[in-house]
Amino acid sequence: MQKYLSLLLLSCLIMIQATAQTRVITGRVQSQNSQAAISGAIVSLIKGGKAITKSDKKGRFTLTVPNGPLILQAIAPNYETTTVQITAGQSSIVINMQPITIVTPITTDDKAISEVVVKGYLSAPIAAAPMTQALAGRVSGVAVAQGNVKRRSNITSAPAGRFDTEDYSPINENIFHSATEQPLSTFSIDVDRASYSNVRRFLNQGILPPQDAVRVEEMINYFDYNYKAPAGKDPVSIYTDMAVCPWNTSHQLVRIALKGKEVDARDLPPSNLVLLVDVSGSMNEENKLPLVKRAFAALVQQLRPQDRVAVVVYAGAAGVVLPSTSGSEKKKILEAMESLQAGGSTAGGEGIQLAYKIAAEHRSDKSNNRVILATDGDFNVGASSDGELQRLIEKERQQGIFLSVLGFGMGNYKDNKLELLADKGNGNYAYIDNFEEARRTFVTEFGGTLFTIAKDVKLQVEFNPAFVQSYRLVGYENRMLQNEDFNNDKKDAGDMGVGHTVTALYEIISATDKAGKAVNWVDPLKYQQNTVVGHLPEVLTVKLRYKQPDENKSRLMQQVLPYNRQLISAAPEDFRMATAAAAFGQLLRNSAFKGDITYHDVLQLASSAKGEDKEGYRAEFIQLVKKAQLVNKDKDQE
């Protein structure tokens, strides 16, 4: 009896001690201007512990937190993200949130009036981009300089439009295909990650993203994976494995992983860069042009003396703010960037033409020639149709000048157009929603962002019908190719940068059921050869074609996947993380193939795959899943 009393007393002491280590914070979230309650605000700890909740219809919330000083963050649609400090003894708080103010160009008689300082000089007038109109700029009343000629004029902007005109291309999800009827699956690789950071922007506002804003392959490839770099002559290595599919445990999940070679930054070729900045009226918001300046400032700090950079802007017309300048003159480059201010309409086509012209003037076969476009994609003047821009960019790509695209802002963001431009320009596409994303793009992954180690990278997977009844590629819907495109070296495909990783997942249905009987959705074919060439344990063969950056003939690599049945919990850490990202994307899309997976399952899978996480991206993913879970519950209750 004494033994049980002692255990009971010990249990009570442990519970009292645990309770003493936490406390309950109650609070209210309200508008700073009107003190009106804000419902559905996501309130979470960002320093001092991990806790997350959501305010009710009266703006009230309750949060169990550790003792000691803390920092809370509140996120709500149409309000600025707000952080507040909580002292060690504080138990209640009121969080005042500032409404987001949308800034529109100042107008007079329905016309926006703005002028610019162009600090660089053109050696001669550009026929494609005449400087007959002023650009947007910092100092009002200062004329545009072109050569020795000074001009002064006004810009007429497009009428201020609605701010809910974001545009996304529809995604028709990949379906299952019979391994007997369609044994080949061919697609172009993708290292873009714009979709992930754009989805993050929506969730940080406390709302679910549009379904077509979620590209599952970009959710998967946002993360760094610890794949082994190639050791041979090829610049890319291939890895394959498989596990039980967590959203449908009667299926298997195959992972195909690629890793680009690592190159010391000191050994990278010199860069010939042109920064092309949209300074039109639609960029006149805090999360657009000011963030562009900070992003490019991070890039400028990485430049070496042998690198060169020019700055071109476009609004009502296009002009040179800074001629091509050595990377050693960082102060001069930064001053040119800081001189920019938004206003006017958007002559995107003229800007791209001028940027390519300057890049061509300093191009060499041994340099990394690249235009980096920063915009919200709202082209509305000049060569603005998808066809015109595509043909222009494809022509310049053949000359060895690539195009990378950075998307900014919200409300009128044109994701579909920007993705198209980057795809056709053999460049990256990223969405910069905060300075941390800019730092990752231009500092942490400087080489991968700017330097290509393999171009026109295509994958073709052949499935063995002895093991696979049917398969579907998870994501990559806008990267699918015809099977005959694989051996066609004239067919454009994706590119890999220094150290880049690429991951693709296939969901497969076994050729036999649990009883060992053959699974067939259609009647057996009469005239097809049924003999399988190769070893029976082979589930599939992966073929990869790539070109060296300075070559036009592709090279072939192959990798075979032997059969292996393992639970996803026993799979490698990186496999589990990629699977969690794919499952999350399918939930956000409300995919027809999401199966039985839940946000809770995704959290468990991601938590088990967090690993070392030096940059904190996987921990951030876990918080995003929690936010989506909260928002989705609220939506279900409406």
Side-chain angles (χ1 to χ4, degrees):
M1 185 67 178
Q2 183 66 31
K3 177 181 177 182
Y4 291 116
L5 288 173
S6 299
L7 289 173
L8 181 61
L9 180 61
L10 179 61
S11 299
C12 291
L13 289 172
I14 292 173
M15 291 177 65
I16 292 170
Q17 184 180 9
T19 303
Q21 292 174 351
T22 62
R23 58 190 164 122
V24 175
I25 296 286
T26 59
R28 185 176 190 268
V29 186
Q30 63 184 28
S31 171
Q32 183 172 322
N33 294 350
S34 64
Q35 282 71 56
I38 300 175
S39 64
I42 295 176
V43 182
S44 60
L45 273 181
I46 61 172
K47 185 175 181 181
K50 293 182 179 179
I52 188 170
T53 188
K54 187 167 60 171
S55 62
D56 62 18
K57 293 182 179 180
K58 295 183 179 180
R60 297 174 301 193
F61 68 90
T62 302
L63 203 62
T64 301
V65 300
N67 283 325
L70 307 166
I71 296 181
L72 288 180
Q73 180 186 72
I75 300 170
N78 303 319
Y79 288 88
E80 302 282 357
T81 298
T82 304
T83 57
V84 292
Q85 293 185 339
I86 307 293
T87 61
Q90 191 172 355
S91 61
S92 63
I93 188 172
V94 174
I95 301 177
N96 291 299
M97 301 190 71
Q98 179 67 42
I100 294 175
T101 302
I102 297 176
V103 181
T104 55
I106 299 174
T107 60
T108 301
D109 297 329
D110 296 327
K111 294 184 178 181
I113 300 178
S114 181
E115 293 189 345
V116 70
V117 180
V118 177
K119 294 191 174 181
Y121 296 89
L122 298 175
S123 57
I126 307 297
M131 296 291 296
T132 56
Q133 292 179 308
L135 305 177
R138 173 173 296 279
V139 184
S140 178
V142 180
V144 173
Q146 177 181 336
N148 295 321
V149 180
K150 292 186 177 180
R151 301 185 180 183
R152 186 186 300 267
S153 62
N154 296 331
I155 297 178
T156 300
S157 101
R162 285 156 40 95
F163 283 85
D164 58 350
T165 58
E166 297 197 8
D167 211 354
Y168 301 91
S169 295
I171 296 175
N172 298 313
E173 288 188 295
N174 291 325
I175 62 173
F176 281 98
H177 297 284
S178 166
T180 302
E181 293 184 333
Q182 299 184 44
L184 295 178
S185 174
T186 308
F187 65 100
S188 163
I189 64 100
D190 186 8
V191 293
D192 295 339
R193 55 170 182 253
S195 179
Y196 182 93
S197 49
N198 192 26
V199 164
R200 177 175 61 201
R201 182 251 297 188
F202 280 101
L203 292 176
N204 282 338
Q205 292 177 337
I207 54 178
L208 293 174
Q211 290 185 7
D212 289 327
V214 184
R215 291 186 287 274
V216 177
E217 71 278 7
E218 294 184 29
M219 301 291 288
I220 297 170
N221 287 308
Y222 182 81
F223 300 95
D224 297 319
Y225 299 111
N226 297 313
Y227 305 148
K228 187 177 179 181
K233 60 181 178 64
D234 292 309
V236 182
S237 54
I238 312 174
Y239 303 98
T240 56
D241 53 356
M242 62 189 297
V244 174
C245 179
W247 53 81
N248 190 331
T249 54
S250 64
H251 298 174
Q252 296 273 325
L253 201 60
V254 168
R255 175 178 64 155
I256 299 172
L258 309 180
K259 172 70 174 182
K261 69 178 180 180
E262 303 282 0
V263 179
D264 191 302
R266 293 170 296 185
D267 299 328
L268 292 171
S271 287
N272 167 35
L273 306 177
V274 180
L275 309 183
L276 176 58
V277 185
D278 179 353
V279 292
S280 63
S282 65
M283 293 290 287
N284 191 21
E285 296 177 39
E286 186 61 31
N287 60 352
K288 293 187 180 181
L289 188 56
L291 187 54
V292 171
K293 294 179 184 180
R294 296 177 66 198
F296 280 151
L299 168 61
V300 170
Q301 297 303 327
Q302 309 306 307
L303 297 178
R304 304 158 299 175
Q306 62 267 38
D307 300 324
R308 302 191 65 83
V309 61
V311 179
V312 174
V313 295
Y314 64 91
V320 181
V321 172
L322 181 76
S324 186
T325 302
S326 167
S328 62
E329 298 188 64
K330 292 181 172 56
K331 182 179 179 182
K332 182 178 180 181
I333 301 170
L334 292 173
E335 287 177 347
M337 286 298 304
E338 196 56 37
S339 70
L340 305 179
Q341 188 171 338
S345 54
T346 316
E350 289 186 1
I352 291 175
Q353 287 178 322
L354 181 56
Y356 274 126
K357 181 181 186 301
I358 294 173
E361 291 173 353
H362 299 274
R363 183 182 69 85
S364 73
D365 293 336
K366 295 182 179 180
S367 62
N368 167 43
N369 308 290
R370 189 175 297 267
V371 174
I372 304 177
L373 168 63
T375 178
D376 57 11
D378 196 10
F379 296 176
N380 52 44
V381 175
S384 59
S385 73
D386 290 351
E388 287 179 277
L389 290 170
Q390 178 178 328
R391 286 187 289 273
L392 169 65
I393 291 165
E394 287 176 337
K395 176 184 176 183
E396 297 297 340
R397 182 187 71 208
Q398 302 301 323
Q399 307 304 315
I401 303 174
F402 297 163
L403 174 70
S404 290
V405 178
L406 304 179
F408 291 82
M410 62 184 71
N412 64 330
Y413 183 59
K414 304 297 186 255
D415 172 85
N416 52 359
K417 182 162 290 187
L418 299 188
E419 184 193 16
L420 174 73
L421 298 184
D423 288 350
K424 298 304 178 182
N426 276 14
N428 319 95
Y429 171 38
Y431 176 78
I432 309 297
D433 59 330
N434 54 44
F435 181 68
E436 170 56 31
E437 189 65 23
R439 186 191 69 83
R440 180 183 183 184
T441 301
F442 288 134
V443 180
T444 309
E445 300 181 4
F446 175 69
T449 300
L450 297 182
F451 297 90
T452 300
I453 52 102
K455 68 180 183 180
D456 291 339
V457 182
K458 296 176 279 189
L459 284 172
Q460 186 167 80
V461 182
E462 181 180 358
F463 292 90
N464 181 356
F467 282 93
V468 180
Q469 191 275 337
S470 56
Y471 64 87
R472 77 174 187 95
L473 179 59
V474 181
Y476 290 92
E477 283 84 1
N478 60 355
R479 295 285 185 161
M480 301 304 296
L481 299 174
Q482 299 297 319
N483 292 331
E484 54 269 26
D485 292 336
F486 183 69
N487 292 325
N488 181 3
D489 284 348
K490 293 183 179 180
K491 185 67 178 180
D492 180 52
D495 304 316
M496 288 189 70
V498 172
H500 266 158
T501 60
V502 176
T503 302
L505 299 177
Y506 278 95
E507 183 178 353
I508 63 173
I509 299 175
S510 174
T512 59
D513 61 18
K514 291 182 179 180
K517 296 180 180 179
V519 175
N520 283 306
W521 289 350
V522 295
D523 293 335
L525 299 178
K526 181 178 179 180
Y527 300 109
Q528 300 303 312
Q529 181 179 353
N530 293 321
T531 302
V532 176
V533 178
H535 301 287
L536 283 180
E538 295 177 4
V539 177
L540 55 83
T541 298
V542 179
K543 295 180 181 179
L544 181 148
R545 281 197 176 275
Y546 74 90
K547 298 174 188 172
Q548 295 284 358
D550 56 350
E551 295 181 358
N552 293 316
K553 184 175 178 58
S554 66
R555 305 185 186 192
L556 177 66
M557 300 174 63
Q558 295 189 68
Q559 178 73 31
V560 171
L561 172 64
Y563 180 80
N564 177 37
R565 183 175 179 84
Q566 62 177 337
L567 295 175
I568 192 66
S569 58
E573 189 177 89
D574 284 339
F575 193 170
R576 299 199 302 273
M577 188 64 217
T579 303
F584 186 42
Q586 291 180 124
L587 282 171
L588 292 174
R589 283 192 51 76
N590 193 26
S591 166
F593 302 101
K594 68 180 186 295
D596 299 327
I597 202 81
T598 65
Y599 286 110
H600 178 72
D601 297 330
V602 175
L603 285 172
Q604 286 189 317
L605 197 57
S607 297
S608 75
K610 185 177 175 182
E612 189 175 0
D613 196 25
K614 290 181 180 179
E615 295 288 340
Y617 300 130
R618 299 189 185 193
E620 179 191 56
F621 173 83
I622 292 171
Q623 295 304 311
L624 289 180
V625 176
K626 290 180 180 178
K627 291 173 183 177
Q629 188 177 31
L630 281 172
V631 174
N632 195 66
K633 283 182 179 178
D634 184 60
K635 183 178 179 182
D636 291 342
Q637 293 171 2
E638 290 179 356

